[in-house]
Amino acid sequence: MDIINTKEMSKDDIVAVLDRAAEIEPSDALDGDVLALLFFEPSTRTRMSFDTAMKRLGGDTVDMGSVESSSVKKGETLADTVRVVEGYADAIVLRHPREGAARLAAEFVDVPVINAGDGAGHHPTQTLLDLYTVRDNVAAALGDLHVGIMGDLKYGRTVHSLAFALAKFGARITFVSPPSLRVPENVRTELGRAGIEFKEVDGVDDVIDTLDVLYATRIQKERFPDEKEYEKVAGEYRVTPETLETARDDLVLMHPLPRVDEIAPDVDETRHAKYFEQAHNGVPVRMAVLDMVM
Amino acid sequence: MEELKIQPIRNGTVVDHIPQGQALNVLRVLGVDSATRDVVSVAMNVPSDEMGRKDIVKVEDRRIDSKEADLIALIAPDATVNVVDDYDVTEKHDVSMPDEIRGVLACPNPSCITNTREPVETVFDVRDDEIRCEYCGTVLTDEIAEHLA
Ligand SMILES: [Zn+2]
């Protein structure tokens, strides 16, 4: 079994991963197995998290290292790289700058391929750990939730996958973003086609009191024509203790990390802050995924 | 009148009822380019009772099968494909949109993995009139002929 994107996973598949993650303990279940970590672009956190997950299950990892020092630099195709690595490992974790890379890799090898991010495409274990964190922190069923997704919704890869996954469970979604960073047309069309209802607003103040979850995302400086414009937008979408004044007591505040200015440090001490827990959840969720595919 | 312009061929395939202006794109879909050795005739802007004007393409000594015919549906959804043997039409295909299109189109997303040296052909899924790259999920929005590889 490959894990390419959550869009193609059924609700039952997703629930199975989340359930497994909730109960998984360190063990030697994967003793003797080797996981290959192929990161064609840097993502230290995701790499460490997979590495840890594999080791907690008694397995071992081999790491391709940086692209600069590998055969890729010499112009090797991805199809060749994965076919070579298949001989070293029992599963492959792949991070690649191009959309569709994980699907391509999966076509060329028999061992399971886990997509750890393909360009602006999918990052399914991130989506799964996001869902896990939501489920772990709210009393209601996923389908009864109102989730606000805020920030850069145009380029933010994680938020599109998350929106589709939440919608699978029937959650209500409100997108909060400046007009220039709205959800792109093709995603909008796809959501509509899937019968998913969503609202779009410019500011979080009007909806904050009705939210169960607020998912803030990184707003990247590079997306703006100049520094001033960035500062203005970043300021408006920054979560501070004041932002949360009218929020429900049990509002869950999430962020994929690393954050820049999106959440003020003094929010960390509030009961809403779940983003470090969210980051830690990467390990049990990836343990569950590895345990299921290997 | 039409018969005057479109001379019968002995063996080969006649693609009729192509929308005006799409004849050359039909040839592209069929992989007929300047390197071909087939005898190819193209009639453009032919008066037609049903279509006003239409294009017609004939490729001699080549049989277009129903799979190739379905690719023609991408740009000429009402085309008819007649296979001719010894001056007789021996097969007639109406074209219909295929479920999947392999290798004919290029993905417009520059960072799609299919736009690299990887040894794969493009695959597009056709669903509800939507044509979507199976690798990166990009949906073709403008004229399909624009995306012919
Ligand atoms: Zn593509």
Short mmCIF file of all heavy atoms in Angstrom, two decimals, chain A residues 99-100, chain B residues 106-115 122-124 132-140, ligand 1:
data_model
loop_
_atom_site.label_atom_id
_atom_site.label_comp_id
_atom_site.label_asym_id
_atom_site.label_seq_id
_atom_site.Cartn_x
_atom_site.Cartn_y
_atom_site.Cartn_z
N GLU A 99 5.21 18.24 -8.30
CA GLU A 99 3.91 17.63 -8.09
C GLU A 99 3.80 16.32 -8.87
O GLU A 99 4.14 16.27 -10.04
CB GLU A 99 2.79 18.58 -8.53
CG GLU A 99 2.56 19.72 -7.57
CD GLU A 99 3.17 21.02 -8.07
OE1 GLU A 99 2.56 21.66 -8.93
OE2 GLU A 99 4.26 21.38 -7.58
N GLY A 100 3.31 15.31 -8.19
CA GLY A 100 3.13 14.02 -8.85
C GLY A 100 4.33 13.09 -8.68
O GLY A 100 4.31 11.96 -9.15
N ALA B 106 0.19 17.31 -23.03
CA ALA B 106 1.23 17.71 -22.09
C ALA B 106 0.56 18.44 -20.93
O ALA B 106 -0.43 19.14 -21.12
CB ALA B 106 2.23 18.64 -22.77
N CYS B 107 1.07 18.24 -19.73
CA CYS B 107 0.49 18.91 -18.56
C CYS B 107 0.92 20.38 -18.55
O CYS B 107 2.10 20.69 -18.69
CB CYS B 107 0.93 18.23 -17.27
SG CYS B 107 0.17 18.99 -15.82
N PRO B 108 -0.05 21.28 -18.39
CA PRO B 108 0.29 22.71 -18.40
C PRO B 108 1.00 23.19 -17.12
O PRO B 108 1.50 24.31 -17.09
CB PRO B 108 -1.07 23.40 -18.55
CG PRO B 108 -2.06 22.42 -18.03
CD PRO B 108 -1.49 21.05 -18.28
N ASN B 109 1.03 22.34 -16.09
CA ASN B 109 1.70 22.73 -14.85
C ASN B 109 3.21 22.54 -15.00
O ASN B 109 3.69 21.42 -15.08
CB ASN B 109 1.15 21.86 -13.71
CG ASN B 109 1.92 22.04 -12.41
OD1 ASN B 109 2.77 22.92 -12.30
ND2 ASN B 109 1.62 21.19 -11.45
N PRO B 110 3.96 23.64 -15.05
CA PRO B 110 5.40 23.51 -15.31
C PRO B 110 6.12 22.68 -14.24
O PRO B 110 7.15 22.07 -14.52
CB PRO B 110 5.92 24.95 -15.32
CG PRO B 110 4.84 25.77 -14.69
CD PRO B 110 3.55 25.04 -14.86
N SER B 111 5.60 22.63 -13.01
CA SER B 111 6.32 21.85 -12.00
C SER B 111 5.74 20.44 -11.83
O SER B 111 6.03 19.75 -10.86
CB SER B 111 6.42 22.60 -10.68
OG SER B 111 5.15 22.84 -10.16
N CYS B 112 4.92 20.01 -12.79
CA CYS B 112 4.44 18.62 -12.79
C CYS B 112 5.60 17.68 -13.13
O CYS B 112 6.41 17.98 -14.01
CB CYS B 112 3.32 18.45 -13.81
SG CYS B 112 2.70 16.76 -13.92
N ILE B 113 5.65 16.56 -12.45
CA ILE B 113 6.74 15.60 -12.66
C ILE B 113 6.78 15.08 -14.11
O ILE B 113 7.83 14.66 -14.58
CB ILE B 113 6.62 14.41 -11.64
CG1 ILE B 113 7.89 13.56 -11.61
CG2 ILE B 113 5.40 13.56 -11.93
CD1 ILE B 113 9.07 14.17 -10.90
N THR B 114 5.65 15.16 -14.81
CA THR B 114 5.66 14.67 -16.20
C THR B 114 6.39 15.63 -17.14
O THR B 114 6.73 15.26 -18.26
CB THR B 114 4.23 14.46 -16.75
OG1 THR B 114 3.53 15.71 -16.72
CG2 THR B 114 3.48 13.43 -15.94
N ASN B 115 6.63 16.85 -16.68
CA ASN B 115 7.37 17.81 -17.51
C ASN B 115 8.86 17.77 -17.22
O ASN B 115 9.54 18.79 -17.16
CB ASN B 115 6.82 19.23 -17.29
CG ASN B 115 5.47 19.40 -17.96
OD1 ASN B 115 5.28 18.97 -19.09
ND2 ASN B 115 4.53 20.01 -17.26
N THR B 122 2.27 11.10 -20.15
CA THR B 122 1.25 11.77 -19.35
C THR B 122 -0.01 10.91 -19.32
O THR B 122 -0.29 10.14 -20.25
CB THR B 122 0.88 13.14 -19.94
OG1 THR B 122 0.43 12.96 -21.27
CG2 THR B 122 2.08 14.08 -19.93
N VAL B 123 -0.75 11.02 -18.22
CA VAL B 123 -2.05 10.34 -18.12
C VAL B 123 -3.06 11.38 -17.62
O VAL B 123 -2.83 12.03 -16.60
CB VAL B 123 -2.00 9.17 -17.11
CG1 VAL B 123 -3.35 8.44 -17.10
CG2 VAL B 123 -0.87 8.21 -17.45
N PHE B 124 -4.13 11.53 -18.37
CA PHE B 124 -5.20 12.43 -17.93
C PHE B 124 -6.48 11.63 -17.75
O PHE B 124 -6.83 10.81 -18.59
CB PHE B 124 -5.42 13.55 -18.95
CG PHE B 124 -4.33 14.59 -18.93
CD1 PHE B 124 -3.15 14.39 -19.63
CD2 PHE B 124 -4.48 15.75 -18.19
CE1 PHE B 124 -2.14 15.34 -19.60
CE2 PHE B 124 -3.47 16.70 -18.15
CZ PHE B 124 -2.30 16.49 -18.85
N ARG B 132 -8.16 15.84 -16.12
CA ARG B 132 -7.29 16.13 -14.98
C ARG B 132 -6.02 15.29 -15.04
O ARG B 132 -6.07 14.08 -15.27
CB ARG B 132 -8.09 15.78 -13.71
CG ARG B 132 -7.32 15.90 -12.41
CD ARG B 132 -8.21 15.47 -11.25
NE ARG B 132 -9.30 16.42 -11.06
CZ ARG B 132 -9.23 17.47 -10.24
NH1 ARG B 132 -8.15 17.70 -9.56
NH2 ARG B 132 -10.25 18.27 -10.13
N CYS B 133 -4.89 15.94 -14.84
CA CYS B 133 -3.60 15.24 -14.84
C CYS B 133 -3.58 14.26 -13.66
O CYS B 133 -3.81 14.65 -12.52
CB CYS B 133 -2.44 16.23 -14.71
SG CYS B 133 -0.83 15.42 -14.49
N GLU B 134 -3.30 12.99 -13.95
CA GLU B 134 -3.33 12.00 -12.89
C GLU B 134 -2.15 12.17 -11.94
O GLU B 134 -2.18 11.70 -10.81
CB GLU B 134 -3.31 10.60 -13.51
CG GLU B 134 -3.77 9.55 -12.53
CD GLU B 134 -3.88 8.19 -13.17
OE1 GLU B 134 -4.85 7.98 -13.92
OE2 GLU B 134 -3.00 7.35 -12.93
N TYR B 135 -1.11 12.84 -12.39
CA TYR B 135 0.06 13.02 -11.52
C TYR B 135 -0.10 14.21 -10.58
O TYR B 135 0.07 14.08 -9.38
CB TYR B 135 1.32 13.17 -12.38
CG TYR B 135 1.74 11.85 -12.98
CD1 TYR B 135 1.28 11.45 -14.22
CD2 TYR B 135 2.55 10.98 -12.26
CE1 TYR B 135 1.64 10.22 -14.75
CE2 TYR B 135 2.92 9.75 -12.78
CZ TYR B 135 2.46 9.38 -14.02
OH TYR B 135 2.81 8.16 -14.54
N CYS B 136 -0.42 15.37 -11.13
CA CYS B 136 -0.42 16.56 -10.28
C CYS B 136 -1.80 17.12 -10.02
O CYS B 136 -1.95 18.04 -9.21
CB CYS B 136 0.48 17.64 -10.88
SG CYS B 136 -0.26 18.47 -12.30
N GLY B 137 -2.82 16.59 -10.68
CA GLY B 137 -4.17 17.06 -10.40
C GLY B 137 -4.60 18.30 -11.16
O GLY B 137 -5.72 18.77 -11.00
N THR B 138 -3.71 18.84 -11.99
CA THR B 138 -4.08 20.04 -12.75
C THR B 138 -5.20 19.73 -13.74
O THR B 138 -5.17 18.72 -14.44
CB THR B 138 -2.85 20.59 -13.50
OG1 THR B 138 -1.87 20.95 -12.54
CG2 THR B 138 -3.22 21.81 -14.35
N VAL B 139 -6.20 20.61 -13.78
CA VAL B 139 -7.32 20.45 -14.68
C VAL B 139 -7.10 21.32 -15.92
O VAL B 139 -6.73 22.49 -15.80
CB VAL B 139 -8.64 20.85 -13.98
CG1 VAL B 139 -9.80 20.81 -14.95
CG2 VAL B 139 -8.89 19.94 -12.80
N LEU B 140 -7.30 20.72 -17.09
CA LEU B 140 -7.16 21.49 -18.32
C LEU B 140 -8.36 22.41 -18.45
O LEU B 140 -9.50 21.96 -18.40
CB LEU B 140 -7.08 20.57 -19.54
CG LEU B 140 -5.96 19.53 -19.53
CD1 LEU B 140 -5.91 18.81 -20.87
CD2 LEU B 140 -4.61 20.20 -19.27
ZN ZN C 1 0.46 17.33 -14.24
#
